[in-house]
Amino acid sequence: MAAALEKLPKPNDPRVLVGYNTADDAGVIRLSDELALVQTVDFFTPIVDDPFTYGQISAANSLSDVYAMGGTPFSALNIVGFPKDIFPMEVLAAILQGGQEKAAEAGVPILGGHTVSDQELKYGLAVTGLIHPDRILTNAEARPGDLLVLTKPIGTGTITTALKAGKGTPEMEAEVCGAMAALNRAAAEVCQRVGVHAVTDITGFGLLGHALEMAEASGVGLVLRFDAVPFFAAAIATTAAGFVPGGTRANLLHVQPCIDFLERITPEQRLLLSDPQTSGGLLIAVAEEKAFELVRAGRDEGVRMAVIGEVIADHAGRIEVV
């Protein structure tokens, strides 16, 4: 994708406040001095077997891009690829119901959408959000001395891979599905209230991939502390058992030239840090003096936040894992 985008001219419209040049979570375009639109689209193939839950998770994932920019989702459209010769229409209805319920939780009306016949099932949302131009949060403003805060555990990729192979438990499935279906709304509202420097959400490129995008866009280095990163309890066991999504190894291969791993960080631990997340949490760069306030405010809103590292001036565009 990066190679393809390099061949396209960068947006030069003065109304474009955030384009695709820093691999941010959504685009932002100014409507007036007081109002801008946040726009994003995301969809993927089923991550769980239950169609209603799949719809919830996919909708939460799509909405997350707007929250990561500091915006408020305003409206949405369904995007569906449906193999009508494989699944009955009741499956599609359940997916759409799950998405609509999650969007309603976010206060977002789904206005319609577009469906195509496809050999592989896909579902997601195109979301429009609103934001004041002066309150946009991007992945490009992390500053040396900031602390890095993560709002959801890591490990959805390996756990759902194990579940698809029939090797999980109902408890494992309930925990990971609950986390994936949870909106990042409260975390985003806390970020706006406390005041943070940079935000991105952790999705398909894994923690290392999205953290590296923040480092490159901000022109800084990052230090991640493996022991401080929250993981789902089952994720370490499922990774060790070989339930590793194909995207994990691709993610690690992509970021490896820019990562300095402490020698003690095992191959399995490196894979976990590259595990592709579905509807993951926010990675936040916040001034050290505000970090405790942020974590406490998150806790008060039911969001568990963990300080997992720091931003440094040296080694711009690189990550050290210790």
Side-chain angles (χ1 to χ4, degrees), residues 44 57 60-61 64 152 156 179-182 184 202-203 277-281:
F44 50 77
I57 292 169
N61 180 76
S64 181
K152 284 186 184 181
T156 64
M180 289 190 293
N184 281 323
I202 308 303
T203 51
Q277 301 304 284
T278 299
S279 191

Side-chain angles (χ1 to χ4, degrees), residues 223-238:
V223 177
L224 297 183
R225 305 185 184 281
F226 181 86
D227 290 344
V229 176
F231 295 99
F232 290 103
I236 296 173
T238 53

Side-chain angles (χ1 to χ4, degrees), residues 287-307:
E288 183 176 8
E289 63 270 18
K290 289 187 175 183
F292 176 76
E293 180 185 357
L294 179 74
V295 172
R296 182 177 59 185
R299 180 194 61 202
D300 291 344
E301 295 295 333
V303 181
R304 295 174 59 185
M305 297 187 177
V307 177

Side-chain angles (χ1 to χ4, degrees), residues 199-311:
V199 179
T200 190
D201 66 341
I202 308 303
T203 51
F205 294 139
L207 177 57
L208 287 181
H210 290 286
L212 184 60
E213 288 178 341
M214 180 181 285
E216 292 173 338
S218 301
V220 297
L222 304 182
V223 177
L224 297 183
R225 305 185 184 281
F226 181 86
D227 290 344
V229 176
F231 295 99
F232 290 103
I236 296 173
T238 53
T239 299
F243 296 106
V244 178
T248 299
R249 299 188 192 280
N251 286 343
L252 183 56
L253 184 65
H254 175 72
V255 302
Q256 202 157 252
C258 300
I259 311 295
D260 299 308
F261 289 104
L262 185 70
E263 193 172 328
R264 288 171 49 201
I265 304 298
T266 68
E268 289 80 10
Q269 291 171 335
R270 299 177 193 204
L271 288 171
L272 266 173
L273 293 174
S274 306
D275 187 61
Q277 301 304 284
T278 299
S279 191
L282 303 181
L283 179 66
I284 305 160
V286 59
E288 183 176 8
E289 63 270 18
K290 289 187 175 183
F292 176 76
E293 180 185 357
L294 179 74
V295 172
R296 182 177 59 185
R299 180 194 61 202
D300 291 344
E301 295 295 333
V303 181
R304 295 174 59 185
M305 297 187 177
V307 177
I308 65 167
E310 60 194 276
V311 181

